[in-house]
Amino acid sequence: MTNAVTAEPPRAGAWAAPYARTPVHAELSLPGSKSLTNRALVLASLASGPSVVRRALRSRDTSLMAGALAALGADIDTSGDDWTVTPAAFVGDARVDCGLAGTVTRFVPPIAGLARGEVAFDGDPHMRNRPVGEVLSALRALGVRIDGDRLPFVVHGSGAVPGGQVVLDASGSSQFVSALLLAGARFDRGVDVLHDGKPVPSQPHIEMTVAILRSHGVEVDDAEPDRWRVAPGPIAPVDLTIEPDLSNAAPFLALAAVTGGSVTVRDWPKATTQAGDALRDLLARMGCTVDLTDRGLTVTGPGTISGLDADLHDVGELTPVVAALCALADGPSYLRGIGHIRGHETDRLAALATELTALGADVVEHADGLELRPGRLHAGLFHAYADHRMAHAGAVLGAAVEGVLVDDVDATSKTFPDFPRVWASALGVS
């Protein structure tokens, strides 16, 4: 299957991805998780008192979330490393800029339903193509009036949401479920979400939502498959420390694999709901040595990278970096179960097939995955499509293949604003 994507012309001053001439040996700390930070901000704005979000990620996506919640009335102090959130009555007649943040586009409309007045949503041009209709349809079924089925749309808040049971198809994104669960305790009858469709992708993100709800004292019943029930009631304020973003660890740990070096990511949690924790198993299967200690996670690269046959359905966000590694492997690879990532920041399957092929990789694009065979990669321009994970993949390829340029490394600011500097430091480049 070929799903062509159109790459924009390279921006002036494309980034020359640093090439690793020797094995990389590095130890680093990563900024906080975007997924956890934005969930924490949402629940803190819905809580019964002030909360503290420690080690919050400061990035475009989290700034957009803070701005959206502030537009609805919450007082969010982001001046320090630890952010304070003081909830207030939600107000309408507000505008929400979603940027390219799926969490803002999907998590904030249920809160807007609790406001009084009109709340207008819009975002970056590509965000207008990303799916949100299931969330909006579900909110209508729960008693919220909404104009539109995709960005831009308007939520007419009445100050309350009746809530109750709703059936939706969350096969396009786990965020459809999380959006309703996060606000559900504030609905008059709570919320009872039933999924009807193909398997929900990125299940760890729903587990993350359930875990953080319970940390706020919210009663959640997830005992039945494809059903989640949130009881109505108060959301307790908390003092929460955000874990490092494990998905952002992917390109750095991949450095160890492609250079035969060793990279340690400090403070890797022993137990977590983050999808990035799957890197431990995936990299081990590709021949790396993986060691989790109290200090952090250390990955040591092999002499050559082994091919990988893996179902990434639950951890689709790791696909770009894993695909880059597969393009450098000495055997064939098949990455499957990831048709849903066509609806991410870009159509990631088409984008990866296009860009990897342009650099000499042997790639076949399928409806739900990628098939890769060993090829001779060469220098060239790698388009990021304004997608942070694609830019990460380009950086990994550039570490292994001299002369790779990434047209938009600034896309990494979505979840890792200081990425170019930290990347260069890990490679010993000034």
Side-chain angles (χ1 to χ4, degrees):
M1 174 177 180
T2 300
N3 234 2
V5 291
T6 302
E8 296 179 359
R11 301 185 182 191
W15 182 65
Y19 173 63
R21 300 187 181 277
T22 59
V24 169
H25 296 279
E27 184 171 328
L28 67 150
S29 295
L30 294 177
S33 162
K34 179 264 293 185
S35 297
L36 281 169
T37 298
N38 276 354
R39 282 165 173 77
L41 292 176
V42 166
L43 287 175
S45 73
L46 293 163
S48 57
S51 293
V52 179
V53 181
R54 301 189 185 277
R55 296 184 62 182
L57 171 66
R58 189 181 299 277
S59 72
R60 188 185 184 213
D61 271 23
T62 59
S63 295
L64 286 166
M65 180 63 82
L69 297 171
L72 293 175
D75 182 359
I76 303 180
D77 183 355
T78 63
S79 58
D81 291 338
D82 301 332
W83 296 2
T84 58
V85 182
T86 304
F90 294 121
V91 294
D93 297 332
R95 303 188 67 84
V96 171
D97 177 10
C98 301
L100 197 53
T103 50
V104 177
T105 308
R106 294 154 182 167
F107 292 179
V108 179
I111 301 172
L114 295 166
R116 290 191 176 278
E118 295 184 357
V119 183
F121 290 77
D122 204 353
D124 291 1
H126 184 69
M127 193 64 231
R128 296 180 179 182
N129 298 324
R130 294 183 66 184
V132 69
E134 284 290 333
V135 173
L136 303 184
S137 294
L139 286 173
R140 289 189 183 98
L142 294 170
V144 181
R145 186 162 70 93
I146 302 171
D147 294 338
D149 292 307
R150 61 174 60 241
L151 286 175
F153 59 83
V154 177
V155 176
H156 299 270
S158 63
V161 176
Q165 187 176 96
V166 66
V167 179
L168 56 73
D169 180 356
S171 59
S173 174
S174 65
Q175 290 180 359
F176 300 164
V177 174
S178 289
L180 301 175
L181 302 186
L182 286 168
R186 289 287 303 273
F187 296 170
D188 294 345
R189 300 196 301 274
V191 70
D192 181 357
V193 180
L194 287 83
H195 162 65
D196 182 14
K198 295 179 180 179
V200 180
S202 306
Q203 282 279 0
H205 285 93
I206 298 179
E207 295 168 8
M208 177 188 295
T209 298
V210 170
I212 197 170
L213 279 165
R214 288 172 174 160
S215 75
H216 280 264
V218 175
E219 182 183 335
V220 185
D221 182 353
D222 62 345
E224 184 178 337
D226 291 333
R227 185 177 187 180
W228 302 266
R229 286 177 283 188
V230 175
I235 299 173
V238 299
D239 188 319
L240 179 68
T241 299
I242 301 298
E243 297 174 359
D245 193 315
L246 306 188
S247 293
N248 274 341
F252 294 95
L253 297 178
L255 266 182
V258 301
T259 69
S262 181
V263 173
T264 298
V265 175
R266 301 187 195 104
D267 303 318
W268 196 280
K270 293 294 180 68
T272 181
T273 55
Q274 290 193 62
D277 196 43
L279 288 165
R280 293 192 289 147
D281 173 66
L282 294 170
L283 291 171
R285 290 165 61 187
M286 300 188 83
C288 296
T289 300
V290 180
D291 189 19
L292 179 60
T293 67
D294 290 339
R295 184 166 185 80
L297 182 71
T298 299
V299 170
T300 304
T304 56
I305 302 170
S306 301
L308 177 70
D309 189 327
D311 187 332
L312 302 181
H313 183 262
D314 285 344
V315 294
E317 66 202 63
L318 304 180
T319 302
V321 166
V322 173
L325 286 175
C326 291
L328 297 164
D330 68 350
S333 297
Y334 200 139
L335 306 179
R336 65 186 76 245
I338 42 178
H340 62 281
I341 71 172
R342 294 186 184 280
H344 283 194
E345 281 79 348
T346 188
D347 179 339
R348 285 179 174 166
L349 291 183
L352 285 165
T354 299
E355 300 307 314
L356 290 173
T357 299
L359 295 184
D362 184 353
V363 184
V364 178
E365 179 188 348
H366 296 282
D368 78 333
L370 299 171
E371 186 177 354
L372 302 98
R373 291 180 290 271
R376 186 179 296 276
L377 271 63
H378 53 71
L381 179 66
F382 187 92
H383 294 90
Y385 304 86
D387 184 337
H388 58 145
R389 305 294 183 205
M390 287 292 293
H392 290 166
V396 170
L397 292 166
V401 180
E402 190 169 11
V404 172
L405 303 175
V406 179
D407 76 324
D408 182 17
V409 74
D410 291 341
T412 57
S413 65
K414 177 181 176 71
T415 55
F416 198 156
D418 208 19
F419 176 81
R421 183 193 66 79
V422 177
W423 185 257
S425 178
L427 276 82
V429 179
S430 61

